[in-house]
Amino acid sequence: MKEFIALGIVLIGGIFMAFQYYLHIPLMKDLYNTFLDWGIVISVFALFIGIKSLLQRQIREIKEKKEHLIFPLTTIISFGVVIILWLIWGAKKDSPPVNFIYTTFQVPLQATIFSLLAFYITSASYRAFRAKNFSATILLITASIVIIGRIPLGDYLAKITIINVGKHSFSLLNFPQWVQWILNVPNVGVKRAFKFGITIGIILTSFKIIFGVEKNWLK
Amino acid sequence: MLRKINRNYFFLLILILKAQASPQYFWGLFIFIIFLMGFAIFYFLPMKDVKIRELGGINGLEEAIGRSTEMGKPILYVAGLKPIPAVSAIAAMNILNEVAKISARYSTPIISPHNNPVTMLTAKEEIKEGFLQGGNPDLINTSKIFYITDSTFPYAVAVNSLVNETKPGAIFYMGTFYAESLILTEHAQGTGTIQIAGTDSVAQLPFFIVTCDFTLMGEELFASTAYIKKDTTSLKFLFLTDILKAFIILLIIIYNIGHIF
């Protein structure tokens, strides 16, 4: 019975959500916004489950006396400090302690991790650009063209290889133009093909959920 | 009673009249017709002896878990960054169920860190069910399925730290990923673990292809449910996807031909 009610709500809600996008009826828009607000309220309750899970795991690690106790201890202390500060000064973005924690700790730490991406890209590219077979060789040549076209060397080569044929002049090694063609034609074409497949996949999976064929989310 | 019905009709009429005329009405009608056509085909379609293209990523699940078992190591399952209402997260949960079934057969534990509490709860149920179906309910350990944080980079760092700590034999990345995809996979690549990914994030696909052993690309992630279950309804939906694709490609071709002349 519970499953039947849940599936009924999903069926009605799903069809409503799909059609409200195409039909500009004010009442439907209001209902849609109300449903979105409900989603926010539910996600707040879900956050408590997340906090419980996080703290349980950290406390378990301390109890089990694992090798690096500093990590669970730091997590618990940081969690407690931020909660206390928020309770005293309020959970506003512009409150001084919250702002201090955000700009002094969170932003630099996140920027550090993000900057690691450059090194990871380099090491991944080094592995990918080995001409092991025909496909890898094409990848290597294409990547080389894109790299040269994006650095000052590409512009320099394009300038020194300009030749004049009658009234027209063109560059023999116009790397920047080749890069634009690679990015605008084959790259966009393949990306669109992927997006096209993904979108249809999402639509059909949504239908499966709306009509109760896909029910694993009910568990 | 009659007056009540009349009042309701009057209310409905006001609603219709208040509706704004928009070109989106056309698209709504268009999609509705495609939807009806699709379901007509869906109901009358005899689905016997249908062959699905081999999905290396799904075939590789057993190999990866088997290797992990031989090494005596756990497996790690990362279910993407989009929470459970997202279709990619639901597809990730379907694959998790299959992973749990295989793990139960091989008696290999699963570790699954999450960035959303709702996804975490669903994953717990999927793993429980998978282990029950795989005939190894004693191995269910829900403490290994936990929430870390909603933030992208702290989550990536925590997963990398888990990889260092537990040294998993196989890692699965299924769902939607953003900038953290390469941070996760390139770090794990250094540990020599088998990595299988499946994502609908087009921008992250090259990173997964370079660093992982198998990758489910785009729609393959959604097709994996039908590939695993192989039940008639899922197969029909998969076939419907192809019909829809062919129909829209045909429309694009007709539009372009019309544009030329």
Side-chain angles (χ1 to χ4, degrees), chain A residues 49-63 76, chain B residues 124 143:
Chain A
I49 301 166
I51 292 168
K52 187 188 157 212
S53 169
L54 176 78
L55 292 178
Q56 267 180 347
R57 184 165 169 268
Q58 305 305 324
I59 291 164
R60 199 184 312 119
E61 280 193 10
I62 293 168
K63 276 183 185 171
I76 292 172
Chain B
K124 273 186 184 176
S143 68

Side-chain angles (χ1 to χ4, degrees), chain A residues 19 21-29 43 46-51 53-54 56-57 60-61 66 71 106 109-111 113-114 116-117 119-125 127-128 139 190-191 193-209 211 213-217 219, chain B residues 11 15 18-20 22 24-25 27-28 31-32 35 39 84 87 90 93-94 97 117-118 120-122 125-126 129 143 145-148 150-151 153-154 157 160 162 165 179 182-183 186-187 189 200 202 205 207 210-211 217-219 222 225 229 233-234 237 240-241 244-245 248-249 252:
Chain A
F19 277 90
Y21 180 77
Y22 297 103
L23 305 172
H24 279 200
I25 299 171
L27 182 76
M28 277 184 135
K29 289 284 163 201
S43 66
L47 196 64
F48 287 110
I49 301 166
I51 292 168
S53 169
L54 176 78
Q56 267 180 347
R57 184 165 169 268
R60 199 184 312 119
E61 280 193 10
K66 285 200 170 177
F71 298 125
Q106 207 170 335
L109 286 171
Q110 290 198 2
I113 302 302
F114 189 58
L116 283 177
L117 202 59
F119 300 101
Y120 282 132
I121 288 173
T122 313
S123 67
S125 309
R127 220 178 20 261
L139 182 71
V190 173
K191 264 189 177 177
F194 267 115
K195 279 183 181 170
F196 180 61
I198 289 166
T199 311
I200 290 176
I202 289 174
I203 292 170
L204 263 293
T205 313
S206 304
F207 277 147
K208 275 163 86 176
I209 296 163
F211 293 104
V213 176
E214 191 83 71
K215 287 189 277 192
N216 67 341
W217 56 271
K219 286 164 191 166
Chain B
F11 181 64
L15 270 183
K18 272 183 89 177
Q20 294 163 12
S22 153
Q24 279 184 333
Y25 274 124
W27 290 111
I31 284 173
F32 186 67
F35 174 77
F39 267 82
I84 202 67
V87 176
I90 289 169
M93 289 299 122
N94 281 332
N97 184 268
V118 179
M120 177 196 72
L121 291 176
T122 316
E125 294 307 315
E126 286 292 349
E129 197 186 286
S143 68
I145 306 138
F146 48 86
Y147 168 82
I148 296 174
D150 278 25
S151 304
F153 293 114
V157 173
N160 282 354
L162 259 176
E165 197 184 310
L182 195 66
I183 295 174
E186 186 60 13
H187 174 82
Q189 174 78 27
D200 60 341
V202 180
L205 269 174
F207 297 140
V210 167
T211 50
M217 296 189 290
E219 64 191 277
F222 307 115
T225 311
K229 286 183 182 171
T233 321
S234 298
F237 265 100
L240 198 58
T241 313
L244 263 176
K245 253 186 274 178
I248 295 170
I249 288 169
I252 293 169

Side-chain angles (χ1 to χ4, degrees), chain A residues 162-170:
Chain A
I162 290 173
I163 54 164
N164 296 311
V165 182
K167 286 179 183 174
H168 304 283
S169 64
F170 62 91

Side-chain angles (χ1 to χ4, degrees), chain A residues 36-106:
Chain A
L36 288 187
D37 290 343
W38 288 0
I40 294 165
V41 173
I42 292 164
S43 66
V44 170
F45 283 106
L47 196 64
F48 287 110
I49 301 166
I51 292 168
K52 187 188 157 212
S53 169
L54 176 78
L55 292 178
Q56 267 180 347
R57 184 165 169 268
Q58 305 305 324
I59 291 164
R60 199 184 312 119
E61 280 193 10
I62 293 168
K63 276 183 185 171
E64 286 171 5
K65 289 176 182 170
K66 285 200 170 177
E67 200 182 343
H68 304 290
L69 275 178
I70 185 80
F71 298 125
L73 280 172
T74 311
T75 310
I76 292 172
I77 292 166
S78 312
F79 182 81
V81 168
V82 172
I83 290 276
I84 291 164
L85 290 175
W86 275 31
L87 286 173
I88 296 168
W89 274 277
K92 289 173 189 170
K93 268 187 179 176
D94 55 346
S95 70
V98 174
N99 221 359
F100 175 77
I101 289 169
Y102 184 71
T103 51
T104 319
F105 296 103
Q106 207 170 335

